């Protein structure tokens, strides 16, 4: 993760993280998302698992996701939850907390359904960092950070998922995922189908639905996709492509054989400063993509510089924590997360490389590099220097440790 501190005069910058594994032959969990029939700014979702053999089950929406290092309670944005049996009748359930619903009669449970509210149009976004947040704007834009839309059942995180997204013809998906379009496609809508090996892959693959504005290029065997949503059409994917291409090419040269990513998607959401919109600027990392949120009001040079700092940081996260990480990250518990002792490595080392490669590859001048490093030394002095980084990392979700989060950058 990296956050970008932005004012009209000055642009600093910031970022975030995530993991992978096995698959099974059984009936996948079918997650259906309806982007056509949006009611009161809410999206209807249903999650249909295989038949339960247990007496009861619990359905979860994540409390936190990898890379954000914060407790966000995505279940708070869920309404009108229903558990439905095989005859279409509603079953009893008990809401345990913001993010969990206990269903006693699991053997009769066919599916659950609910409606999702988005975070971008809420003042303060309930503390959710925009690159991990959600947007619902019918016919215009949907930011599907899927942890906000799709949940999982107890002990079923390793089950395969099939994601069905019903969408208007005018909006196309930006994502690193491959899809097929269902045969049931009609005049009113299309249905995209995505297959995912486990729940982790669901949340590792954000999808941004928007009017077509997409471009791509190849760098040493890697396909880079750029998708841009610019509400007032100030920027296009073509307009930001040259800067991104220069930066990613330099990163690939710097990394050499260390990186073998085949496809990488950059999903850029530019927020409107005139309306209630996303205000948490920066980006969150995934294995094959990143969601970047920045102000549309940025000037082109500022935007390019910030994109370079932010996207290169996210891309370097492929090294750590995405591939080198502790067991707490690998077996991430979305509703009872155990933090590892290595936040300082995941974010600090990543941020160091994101600056080092720029001087190494000639993207910035020597003086600029020295200024950046001395800026970091200066900002480090605002934090408690006696707090061990390992201890802070382990307890980053709690006070007083969470106050020191930015020290790792
Ligand atoms: Zn980061």
């Amino acid at each position: 993760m990296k956050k970008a501190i932005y004012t009209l005069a000055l642009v600093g910058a910031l970022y975030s993280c995530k993991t992978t594994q096995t698959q099974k032959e059984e009936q996948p969990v079918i997650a259906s998302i309806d982007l056509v029939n949006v009611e009161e700014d809410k999206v209807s979702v249903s999650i249909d698992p295989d038949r339960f053999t247990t007496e009861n089950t619990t359905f979860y929406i994540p409390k936190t996701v990898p890379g954000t290092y914060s407790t966000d309670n995505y279940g708070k944005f869920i309404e009108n939850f229903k558990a439905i049996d095989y005859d279409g009748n509603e079953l009893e359930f008990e809401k345990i907390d913001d993010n969990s619903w206990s269903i006693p009669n699991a053997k009769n449970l066919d599916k659950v359904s609910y409606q999702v509210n988005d975070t971008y149009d809420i003042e303060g976004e309930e503390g959710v960092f925009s690159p991990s947040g959600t947007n619902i704007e019918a016919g215009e834009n949907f930011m599907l950070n899927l942890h906000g839309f799709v949940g999982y059942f107890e002990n079923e995180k390793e089950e395969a998922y099939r994601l069905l997204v019903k969408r208007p013809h005018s909006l196309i998906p930006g994502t690193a995922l491959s899809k097929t379009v269902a045969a049931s496609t009609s005049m009113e809508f299309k249905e995209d189908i995505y297959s995912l090996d486990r729940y982790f892959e669901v949340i590792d693959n954000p999808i941004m639905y928007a009017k077509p504005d997409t471009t791509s290029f190849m760098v040493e065997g890697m396909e880079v996709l750029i998708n841009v949503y610019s509400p007032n059409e100030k920027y296009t994917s073509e307009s930001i492509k040259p800067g991104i291409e220069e930066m990613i090419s330099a990163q690939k040269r710097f990394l050499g054989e260390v990186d073998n990513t085949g496809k990488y998607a950059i999903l850029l959401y530019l927020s409107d400063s005139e309306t209630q919109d996303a205000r948490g600027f920066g980006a969150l990392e995934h294995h094959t993509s990143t969601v970047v949120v920045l102000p549309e009001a940025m000037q082109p040079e500022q935007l390019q510089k910030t994109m370079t700092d932010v996207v290169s940081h996210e891309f370097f996260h492929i090294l750590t924590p995405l591939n080198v990480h502790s067991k707490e990250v690998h077996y991430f518990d979305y509703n009872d997360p155990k933090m590892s002792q290595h936040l300082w490595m995941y974010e600090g080392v990543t941020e160091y490389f994101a600056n080092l490669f720029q001087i190494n590859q000639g993207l910035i001048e020597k003086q600029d590099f020295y200024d950046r490093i001395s800026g970091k030394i200066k900002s480090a002095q605002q934090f408690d220097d006696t707090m061990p980084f390992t201890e802070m990392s382990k307890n980053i979700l709690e006070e007083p440790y969470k106050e020191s989060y930015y020290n790792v950058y």
Side-chain angles (χ1 to χ4, degrees):
M1 176 181 103
K2 172 142 175 142
K3 290 194 176 149
I5 296 142
Y6 169 80
T7 63
L8 280 172
L10 175 80
V11 177
L14 239 173
Y15 319 73
S16 204
C17 308
K18 205 207 67 69
T19 10
T20 86
Q21 208 158 324
T22 59
Q23 54 181 342
K24 298 185 181 171
E25 293 301 326
E26 300 146 7
Q27 165 81 20
V29 177
I30 298 175
S32 307
I33 300 180
D34 186 347
L35 305 182
V36 177
N37 303 297
V38 178
E39 291 167 11
E40 294 172 355
D41 207 29
K42 290 168 206 161
V43 161
S44 296
V45 175
S46 73
I47 310 292
D48 184 351
D50 205 352
R51 247 179 208 280
F52 283 96
T53 51
T54 54
E55 288 302 321
N56 47 57
T57 187
T58 302
F59 179 75
Y60 297 101
I61 293 284
K63 176 179 183 176
T64 185
V65 290
T68 59
Y69 307 102
S70 67
T71 301
D72 293 326
N73 297 311
Y74 295 95
K76 278 190 308 196
F77 304 97
I78 302 298
E79 277 179 24
N80 204 11
F81 183 90
K82 285 177 185 152
I84 298 162
D85 74 10
Y86 288 97
D87 297 321
N89 302 313
E90 288 184 33
L91 291 169
E92 282 185 18
F93 64 87
E94 186 189 351
K95 191 168 179 196
I96 301 170
D97 57 31
D98 277 345
N99 312 296
S100 11
W101 293 261
S102 169
I103 302 157
N105 199 348
K107 282 183 177 159
N108 289 335
L109 179 67
D110 177 17
K111 61 184 177 184
V112 298
S113 70
Y114 47 86
Q115 289 180 302
V116 180
N117 277 297
D118 58 336
T119 64
Y120 286 5
D121 60 7
I122 299 173
E123 170 89 45
E125 298 164 69
E126 298 263 352
V128 175
F129 181 44
S130 306
S132 64
T134 53
N135 192 40
I136 296 172
E137 208 182 333
E140 181 71 18
N141 178 280
F142 294 91
M143 180 59 82
L144 305 186
N145 267 307
L146 291 165
H147 52 259
F149 290 85
V150 178
Y152 61 93
F153 291 92
E154 188 176 5
N155 300 323
E156 296 207 342
K157 284 200 299 253
E158 302 303 318
E159 298 290 316
Y161 272 70
R162 186 179 302 146
L163 181 62
L164 309 177
V165 182
K166 201 180 187 187
R167 47 116 171 163
H169 286 267
S170 58
L171 303 185
I172 61 156
T175 178
L177 287 174
S178 303
K179 70 164 186 343
T180 52
V181 178
S184 65
T185 287
S186 77
M187 294 288 283
E188 289 79 42
F189 64 87
K190 286 192 179 187
E191 187 171 56
D192 296 334
I193 305 171
Y194 304 90
S195 295
L196 301 139
D197 286 344
R198 63 177 190 137
Y199 186 68
F200 177 79
E201 277 195 17
V202 175
I203 67 163
D204 193 32
N205 285 287
I207 310 174
M208 180 170 76
Y209 277 90
K211 297 201 174 101
D213 181 8
T214 171
T215 187
S216 67
F217 59 88
M218 294 294 295
V219 181
E220 296 179 33
M222 177 175 74
E223 183 183 17
V224 179
L225 309 170
I226 305 174
N227 285 268
V228 175
Y229 174 68
S230 181
N232 301 300
E233 295 171 359
K234 185 169 171 192
Y235 290 99
T236 63
S237 57
E238 281 298 336
S239 70
I240 65 159
K241 180 180 164 185
I244 297 288
E245 193 164 7
E246 181 189 32
M247 182 265 290
I248 300 261
S249 303
Q251 273 186 297
K252 290 289 277 186
R253 283 196 302 273
F254 180 80
L255 285 168
E257 290 174 5
V258 173
D259 173 58
N260 58 4
T261 308
K263 196 194 245 185
Y264 195 74
I266 298 165
L267 312 180
L268 174 62
Y269 180 97
L270 293 167
S271 96
D272 192 336
S273 55
E274 302 297 316
T275 62
Q276 185 67 53
D277 200 350
R279 294 287 180 264
F281 303 128
L284 182 66
E285 75 277 17
H286 301 282
H287 278 85
T288 53
S289 61
T290 182
V291 171
V292 187
V293 178
L294 290 171
E296 194 185 34
M298 269 185 166
Q299 294 307 306
E301 318 79 65
Q302 280 184 316
L303 184 71
Q304 175 170 335
K305 187 171 171 297
T306 308
M307 285 291 286
T308 299
D309 289 344
V310 171
V311 177
S312 64
H313 176 105
E314 303 312 326
F315 190 76
F316 277 123
H317 267 313
I318 291 170
L319 302 181
T320 191
L322 295 174
N323 284 300
V324 179
H325 50 234
S326 71
K327 61 183 185 302
E328 288 87 351
V329 171
H330 196 82
Y331 301 104
F332 195 83
D333 189 330
Y334 309 99
N335 281 283
D336 186 17
K338 314 287 183 295
M339 294 290 116
S340 90
Q341 294 182 61
H342 314 92
L343 170 61
W344 57 272
M345 179 176 86
Y346 307 148
E347 293 299 336
V349 169
T350 298
E351 180 63 2
Y352 175 63
F353 279 129
N355 284 283
L356 184 65
F357 98 99
Q358 294 193 48
I359 178 74
N360 176 282
Q361 294 294 317
L363 299 187
I364 55 172
E365 300 294 324
K366 252 186 200 162
Q367 192 55 48
D368 193 359
F369 183 75
Y370 292 138
D371 292 346
R372 286 168 181 232
I373 297 300
S374 55
K376 287 185 183 295
I377 292 168
K378 210 169 163 191
S379 60
Q381 287 162 355
Q382 298 163 14
F383 295 94
D384 176 1
D385 208 20
T386 63
M387 183 186 286
F389 263 22
T390 47
E391 199 178 311
M392 185 254 272
S393 295
K394 186 95 198 128
N395 299 288
I396 196 64
L397 298 178
E398 282 134 46
E399 303 288 359
Y401 304 97
K402 74 183 199 189
E403 299 298 304
S404 284
Y405 177 77
Y406 294 113
N407 201 6
V408 300
Y409 293 94

